[in-house]
Amino acid sequence: MFTQKHFDKAYENAKVIDFDDSSKFIFFSDCHRGDNTFADDFANNRNTYFHALKQYYKGGFTYCELGDGNELWENTQFKTVFEAHKNIFLLLKQFYDDNRLYLIYGNHDMVYSDPKVVKKDYDTWLDPNLGEKVLFMPGLAYHESIILKHKNTGQKIFIAHGHQADWWNYIFWKWSRFMVRVVWRPLQVVGISDPTSPAKNNTELIKVERRTKKWIANKNNQFTITGHTHRPRFPEPGDLAYFNDGSCVHPRSITGIEIENGAITLIKWNLDTTEEGFLHVVRSVLEGPKKLIDYKTS
């Protein structure tokens, strides 16, 4: 009942974006950009992520971030995160300037459900070359959800973080944030994980996925892409159309979902070595591509 109610609300209030087979999207989620210290899960993959995002920018993709982009449970100030990963935020600004940036909030950056907080963090920044504040991403909007609507077929793709199926982290996110800051962040040092996180607790993960799949089934197999659990999902046509882009904090790799030429693909970016022993970042296909139109409502 809880999941049905909150997914329904997100679906009804979603920002609708028209697209067609010439449109190109890259979906990443759960970056958890932190302060570049031992507790920053994103730090190990920051160079891989930055390289991948540069390729997508050059390739004309629109970037959609499906929540938990900034780690604002462990970090009390956005400024700390910005300074730690400034090159990434400057790249995101390039997407923004080209009208190719859509951001969704998750439970770890739920504060962005308040436009005043978004304005405070993103409207201006202190330009070190000028020594004064200048416009950065004025008017930037965060959304709870987005619907991509195909101009020709009318097919709708529902996109959300996915914490709508996780009642504890949706309703009591402030309490979870407090526990992370006071208890779990210090315990990360000795390898103890937060048991309330579905990404680190298989029992919770399975519950969240089961609730999400039930909502999709009740919605006539609504094509849905989420994050939150950090576990990639890519169904075959004819199966329940529940996709998950994974996360950007996997050990030594990041995963995401691409939409291009009317097809969907699950991809991975990771560091690898050449025969000469040089490190380089490589993209590989995990699943797909599959035609979007093959995922039909029931």
Side-chain angles (χ1 to χ4, degrees):
M1 187 67 178
F2 173 91
T3 299
Q4 184 77 32
K5 174 184 175 181
H6 289 285
F7 264 133
D8 280 349
K9 179 183 175 184
Y11 185 85
E12 290 162 7
N13 297 327
K15 178 179 178 62
V16 179
I17 301 169
D18 291 330
F19 80 108
D20 57 31
D21 287 354
S22 68
S23 304
K24 296 192 283 188
F25 294 92
I26 172 61
F27 302 92
F28 285 134
S29 74
D30 300 276
C31 301
H32 294 278
R33 291 181 291 265
D35 58 2
N36 203 28
T37 65
F38 66 88
D40 185 357
D41 292 333
F42 177 70
N44 289 333
N45 291 333
R46 58 180 296 186
N47 292 328
T48 301
Y49 172 89
F50 182 65
H51 175 81
L53 211 56
K54 280 199 299 184
Q55 305 314 305
Y56 288 121
Y57 179 77
K58 294 176 183 177
F61 280 74
T62 294
Y63 178 49
C64 293
E65 192 164 86
L66 275 61
D68 287 2
N70 297 332
E71 179 47 71
L72 299 180
W73 281 9
E74 294 181 358
N75 303 281
T76 59
Q77 298 292 327
F78 169 72
K79 180 181 178 181
T80 305
V81 177
F82 182 89
E83 291 299 326
H85 304 294
K86 186 183 294 184
N87 62 329
I88 287 169
F89 287 102
L90 292 176
L91 180 53
L92 291 176
K93 175 175 168 52
Q94 291 182 258
F95 280 96
Y96 165 85
D97 289 341
D98 289 352
N99 295 315
R100 291 193 276 142
L101 178 66
Y102 294 100
L103 301 177
I104 288 173
Y105 57 81
N107 49 305
H108 281 252
D109 49 12
M110 193 87 149
V111 291
Y112 291 142
S113 61
D114 184 349
K116 294 177 183 177
V117 178
V118 180
K119 179 179 177 66
K120 176 177 68 70
D121 285 353
Y122 284 99
D123 263 23
T124 62
W125 77 300
L126 182 61
D127 189 326
N129 296 319
L130 299 176
E132 61 184 27
K133 282 189 175 183
V134 298
L135 291 178
F136 189 59
M137 299 189 209
L140 178 70
Y142 267 79
H143 310 279
E144 181 177 0
S145 54
I146 289 171
I147 289 175
L148 298 182
K149 184 177 180 181
H150 199 285
K151 294 177 183 177
N152 301 321
T153 67
Q155 184 179 29
K156 293 181 179 180
I157 300 174
F158 176 62
I159 304 158
H161 179 59
H163 62 310
Q164 291 82 358
D166 183 353
W167 69 272
W168 179 264
N169 283 308
Y170 189 88
I171 297 296
F172 299 109
W173 66 270
K174 290 184 178 179
W175 172 249
S176 294
R177 181 180 64 182
F178 171 78
M179 291 298 293
V180 165
R181 289 177 180 176
V182 175
V183 178
W184 302 118
R185 188 180 194 217
L187 290 177
Q188 270 188 293
V189 183
V190 293
I192 299 177
S193 299
D194 176 2
T196 66
S197 168
K200 300 174 182 178
N201 183 319
N202 282 336
T203 301
E204 290 301 314
L205 182 153
I206 291 168
K207 288 180 181 178
V208 168
E209 289 186 344
R210 185 174 66 241
R211 295 174 192 137
T212 303
K213 288 190 288 185
K214 183 177 179 180
W215 178 83
I216 292 170
N218 290 340
K219 200 73 174 177
N220 297 320
N221 197 23
Q222 172 60 55
F223 196 129
T224 299
I225 305 174
T226 69
H228 189 54
T229 65
H230 295 201
R231 180 160 80 163
R233 293 185 61 95
F234 193 94
E236 291 292 316
D239 294 337
L240 205 63
Y242 172 32
F243 294 78
N244 192 302
D245 64 2
S247 84
C248 294
V249 291
H250 299 296
R252 298 173 296 280
S253 69
I254 66 175
T255 57
I257 284 177
E258 298 172 356
I259 289 180
E260 184 178 12
N261 298 322
I264 187 167
T265 308
L266 177 67
I267 51 85
K268 177 177 78 170
W269 292 81
N270 63 282
L271 285 174
D272 201 354
T273 55
T274 66
E275 291 184 2
E276 295 77 20
F278 296 107
L279 283 175
H280 66 146
V281 180
V282 296
R283 171 190 172 276
S284 54
V285 173
L286 299 178
E287 299 283 352
K290 298 289 185 181
K291 289 294 183 181
L292 296 173
I293 198 62
D294 290 342
Y295 294 90
K296 299 176 181 178
T297 55
S298 58

